[in-house]
């Protein structure tokens, strides 16, 4: 049975309190955990933003946000109980001379309780806000700072942020969020690998043929086009979410589930990731943009039309890479992600090698495959070869042992931010990213961007809403006699 273990009372300050992330994720996550009885009475949730707003207006803003994110509408009496936790302060948090006293008054600094500063703002102002917090005397032992992705746009800017924030807060107080790590199925990757003795002996180049990681989205860039155009699929999704999934799948067993033990192993994977150089860039990667297409039989515009000007930003990327270490030598890893694909689905496919002898005839022979559905239809499928019953010769079918979350667990499915926010309160760093990880990921991504540049990598195209990406992405695997695992309808 799932049960919520209450956390200690805390204060959380959301810089960017009236922004998109606060509205879509943070306030609803806090509300849900409060409704589940996990958040104690004296907890304070303080929105900070430059916009002028009263406490009541902020509460109304939060109500709409939480109501929208909740299946049944929130009852007003219930909201009145929750709203007591909410406060709002209008200030420019980059300015050390702003009215920090007003904020300090709301914080229970004398009590020994966690004080969380969540930076839900553009990364450009992470360092100025941290400096201002330091000058206001708010960076002490009880303080924790949460940084949203993206941390920078390349290695240099990420380093500058890490150094600037690190000058005010020690590393053990810095919580770098990648919300994929808070997803139930992603947390399950470690359990699947290390709580089952079945997989570990086979988890290597002798038994595994290749690995695929897909994060496909059905939505286009919509009103985030301004941010997205300066980023693209590689920076927006691969640098963080996809490389994190890759690390969890490919890392060595950590000594414990302690945050640092895990993070040390993830860094080793990042460091062993083979750089993409200009001479192989066009052969091992594909970048593309969505063109006009259709969603639910209705025409939808292409990326350029949505944006309103020309652009060389990719909305899709596919990459063939390797982790050059003893365990994974010569095992290809295929990564792909894109917007406006046919279907939203994220999954990891571990394809095992064929049996050494094909006793039953090659037509029916397929190799074992482990498919981890990250979202939606969360679950794990292990495909085995089974004899089809009945007459008509020996027929073999590949069928899954199917462990569906939906069928097995009847709990409310929590959003990733809920778990992550509660982990910040508990001081548990396991699902957060260490400085070296961010920098190693950027270093690899920077190399790939430079390789695209030097190799003049072509921009391919795919019809919005109708495909799994450009044909070249299929060719990437076809040239290795492999194919992407087919997404079910
Ligand atoms: C964000 C990206 O980090 O993750 C978005 O910036 C993307 O572009 C989103 O849409 C995907 O998250 P999820 O949880 O919907 O898979």
């Amino acid at each position: 049975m799932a049960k919520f273990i209450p956390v200690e009372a805390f204060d959380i300050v959301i810089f960017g309190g009236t922004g998109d992330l606060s509205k879509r994720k943070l306030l609803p996550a806090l509300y849900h955990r409060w409704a589940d009885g996990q958040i104690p009475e004296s907890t304070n949730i303080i929105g900070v933003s430059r916009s002028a707003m009263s406490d009541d207006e902020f509460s109304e803003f939060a109500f709409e946000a939480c109501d929208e994110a909740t299946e049944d509408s929130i009852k007003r009496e219930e909201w009145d109980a929750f709203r007591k936790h909410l406060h709002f302060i209008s200030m420019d948090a980059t300015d050390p001379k702003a009215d920090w006293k007003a904020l300090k008054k709301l914080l229970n600094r004398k009590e020994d309780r966690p004080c969380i500063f969540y930076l839900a703002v553009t990364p450009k102002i992470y360092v100025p806000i941290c400096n201002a917090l330091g000058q206001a005397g708010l960076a002490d032992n009880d303080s924790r700072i949460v940084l949203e992705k993206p941390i920078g746009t390349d290695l240099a800017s990420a380093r500058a942020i890490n150094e600037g924030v690190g000058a005010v807060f020690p590393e053990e107080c810095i919580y770098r969020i990648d919300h994929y790590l808070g997803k139930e199925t992603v947390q399950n990757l470690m359990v699947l690998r290390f709580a089952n003795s079945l997989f570990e002996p086979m988890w290597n180049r002798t038994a595994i043929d290749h690995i695929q990681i897909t994060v496909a989205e059905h939505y286009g860039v919509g009103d985030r086009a301004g941010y997205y155009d300066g980023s693209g699929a590689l920076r927006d999704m691969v640098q963080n979410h996809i490389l994190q999934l890759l690390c969890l799948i490919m890392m060595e067993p950590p000594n414990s589930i302690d945050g640092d033990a895990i993070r040390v192993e993830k860094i080793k994977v990042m460091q062993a990731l083979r750089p993409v150089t200009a001479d192989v860039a066009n052969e091992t990667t594909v970048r593309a943009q969505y063109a006009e297409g259709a969603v639910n039989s209705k025409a939808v515009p292409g990326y350029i039309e949505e944006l309103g000007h020309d652009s060389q930003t990719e909305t899709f990327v596919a990459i063939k890479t390797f982790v050059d270490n003893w365990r994974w030598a010569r095992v290809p890893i295929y990564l792909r992600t894109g917007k406006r694909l046919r279907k939203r689905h994220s999954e990891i496919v571990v394809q095992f090698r064929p049996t050494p002898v094909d006793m039953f005839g090659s037509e029916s022979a397929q190799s074992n495959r482990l498919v981890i559905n990250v979202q939606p239809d969360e679950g794990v499928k292990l495909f085995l070869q089974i004899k089809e019953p009945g007459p008509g010769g020996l027929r073999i079918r590949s069928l899954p042992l199917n462990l569906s979350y939906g069928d097995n667990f009847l709990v409310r499915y929590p959003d990733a931010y809920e778990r992550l926010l509660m982990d910040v309160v508990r001081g548990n760093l396991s699902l957060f990213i260490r400085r070296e990880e961010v920098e190693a990921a950027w270093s690899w991504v920077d190399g790939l961007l430079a390789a695209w540049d030097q190799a003049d990598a072509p921009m391919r195209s795919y019809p919005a809403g109708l495909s799994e990406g450009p044909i070249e992405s299929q060719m990437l695997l076809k040239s290795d006699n492999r194919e992407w695992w087919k997404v079910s309808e």
Side-chain angles (χ1 to χ4, degrees):
M1 270 291 281
K3 67 171 185 228
F4 293 94
I5 303 166
V7 292
E8 61 183 310
F10 61 95
D11 295 333
I12 180 167
V13 181
I14 307 175
F15 294 104
T18 54
D20 185 58
L21 182 72
S22 172
K23 182 173 162 193
R24 281 189 310 109
K25 297 289 182 185
L26 306 180
L27 291 167
L30 290 163
Y31 168 74
H32 281 128
R33 287 300 167 110
W34 171 84
D36 287 328
Q38 197 171 20
I39 296 184
E41 269 314 299
S42 66
T43 292
N44 284 316
I45 301 168
I46 304 159
V48 172
S49 141
R50 274 188 297 200
S51 10
M53 234 189 214
S54 64
D55 276 358
D56 285 347
E57 283 165 336
F58 182 59
S59 160
E60 234 6 69
F61 166 84
F63 175 78
E64 277 164 29
C66 298
D67 198 44
E68 169 102 29
T70 308
E71 253 175 47
D72 307 319
S73 326
I74 301 174
K75 294 192 187 67
R76 274 291 171 181
E77 316 84 79
E78 198 186 14
W79 185 257
D80 286 344
F82 178 69
R83 68 177 289 174
K84 292 190 188 117
H85 297 278
L86 297 176
H87 310 271
F88 182 77
I89 289 191
S90 164
M91 68 186 267
D92 175 0
T94 62
D95 180 4
K97 296 200 190 77
D99 188 6
W100 289 92
K101 277 197 195 123
L103 177 61
K104 275 173 138 174
K105 243 173 140 179
L106 287 174
L107 302 174
N108 298 283
R109 304 298 291 169
K110 290 202 186 89
E111 279 177 40
D112 181 20
R113 59 150 86 186
C115 180
I116 299 162
F117 299 109
Y118 199 118
L119 302 189
V121 291
T122 163
K124 286 191 195 117
I125 58 172
Y126 285 177
V127 178
I129 294 183
C130 287
N131 287 337
L133 281 167
Q135 289 183 36
L138 286 170
D140 59 21
N141 289 345
D142 293 326
S143 308
R144 289 162 202 178
I145 184 102
V146 187
L147 308 180
E148 253 303 323
K149 71 153 264 268
I151 300 193
T153 49
D154 55 14
L155 178 59
S157 53
R159 270 198 184 137
I161 290 174
N162 281 333
E163 256 149 48
V165 175
V168 183
F169 293 93
E171 182 67 20
E172 64 274 16
C173 296
I174 306 176
Y175 292 72
R176 296 180 189 82
I177 279 211
D178 181 316
H179 78 277
Y180 265 57
L181 297 182
K183 288 182 190 279
E184 287 289 345
T185 38
V186 177
Q187 293 176 53
N188 187 43
L189 289 177
M190 290 236 304
V191 178
L192 190 70
R193 284 192 59 196
F194 305 128
N196 295 294
S197 56
L198 191 66
F199 296 117
E200 179 52 23
M202 306 180 67
W203 211 254
N204 56 48
R205 66 182 187 288
T206 50
I208 292 177
D209 177 73
H210 75 275
I211 292 174
Q212 303 180 7
I213 302 180
T214 298
V215 179
E217 296 187 278
H218 189 53
Y219 288 119
V221 291
D223 53 12
R224 288 173 79 233
Y227 149 76
Y228 192 86
D229 199 49
S231 173
L234 185 65
R235 289 189 174 98
D236 185 50
M237 297 295 286
V238 178
Q239 189 272 342
N240 33 74
H241 307 322
I242 291 196
L243 289 187
Q244 285 297 322
L245 295 179
L246 182 147
C247 284
L248 290 171
I249 283 289
M250 312 203 75
M251 71 183 182
E252 292 301 312
N255 289 348
S256 70
I257 55 165
D258 165 71
D260 263 339
I262 298 169
R263 300 191 305 175
V264 161
E265 296 306 335
K266 287 200 283 171
I267 291 166
K268 286 192 206 155
V269 177
M270 296 262 193
Q271 288 167 343
L273 207 53
R274 187 181 296 178
V276 180
T277 48
D279 51 330
V280 295
N282 290 342
E283 205 181 290
T284 58
T285 69
V286 176
R287 57 186 198 133
Q289 265 176 359
Y290 58 85
E292 277 170 34
V295 168
N296 299 331
S297 313
K298 271 203 192 136
V300 290
Y303 178 68
I304 300 288
E305 290 82 57
E306 264 181 2
L307 199 63
H309 58 77
D310 203 9
S311 163
Q312 281 304 302
T313 298
E314 77 288 350
T315 58
F316 175 96
V317 60
I319 302 168
K320 173 184 171 185
T321 187
F322 294 88
V323 168
D324 287 325
N325 63 15
W326 193 277
R327 186 188 284 262
W328 294 115
R330 294 181 294 283
V331 176
I333 307 144
Y334 301 96
L335 314 173
R336 66 176 166 169
T337 183
K339 298 222 180 263
R340 272 281 188 250
L341 297 175
R342 188 172 64 79
K343 200 170 173 242
R344 174 180 185 249
H345 80 283
S346 300
E347 74 192 0
I348 299 165
V349 178
V350 179
Q351 176 67 59
F352 290 92
R353 289 188 186 282
T355 51
V357 176
D358 177 11
M359 294 170 82
F360 302 102
S362 50
E363 243 176 65
S364 45
Q366 281 199 31
S367 314
N368 298 123
R369 180 184 290 124
L370 179 70
V371 179
I372 301 158
N373 285 89
V374 175
Q375 63 187 22
D377 307 326
E378 290 79 358
V380 177
K381 288 183 187 151
L382 178 62
F383 284 80
L384 301 177
Q385 314 312 309
I386 300 290
K387 178 191 175 298
E388 197 177 321
L394 180 63
R395 282 162 290 121
I396 295 187
R397 298 250 321 259
S398 177
L399 288 175
L401 290 179
N402 188 355
L403 206 162
S404 141
Y405 274 38
D407 293 349
N408 285 280
F409 306 110
L410 296 168
V411 288
R412 177 178 71 78
Y413 214 76
D415 185 77
Y417 278 89
E418 295 181 30
R419 164 72 195 260
L420 294 173
L421 280 166
M422 292 304 102
D423 273 359
V424 181
V425 179
R426 291 186 196 102
N428 179 356
L429 279 157
S430 320
L431 299 179
F432 296 86
I433 300 172
R434 208 160 81 170
R435 172 180 180 158
E436 295 91 323
E437 279 178 79
V438 176
E439 295 181 7
W442 273 124
S443 167
W444 188 78
V445 164
D446 277 4
L448 174 41
L449 285 165
W452 276 350
D453 210 32
Q454 282 171 34
D456 212 2
M459 185 63 79
R460 311 294 187 182
S461 162
Y462 58 102
L466 298 171
S467 74
E468 317 297 347
I471 184 78
E472 291 78 6
S473 152
Q474 309 296 331
M475 300 309 292
L476 183 70
L477 272 74
K478 203 153 196 118
S479 54
D480 290 344
N481 276 328
R482 298 189 175 100
E483 52 184 29
W484 291 107
W485 169 240
K486 297 221 173 21
V487 182
S488 50
E489 289 309 315

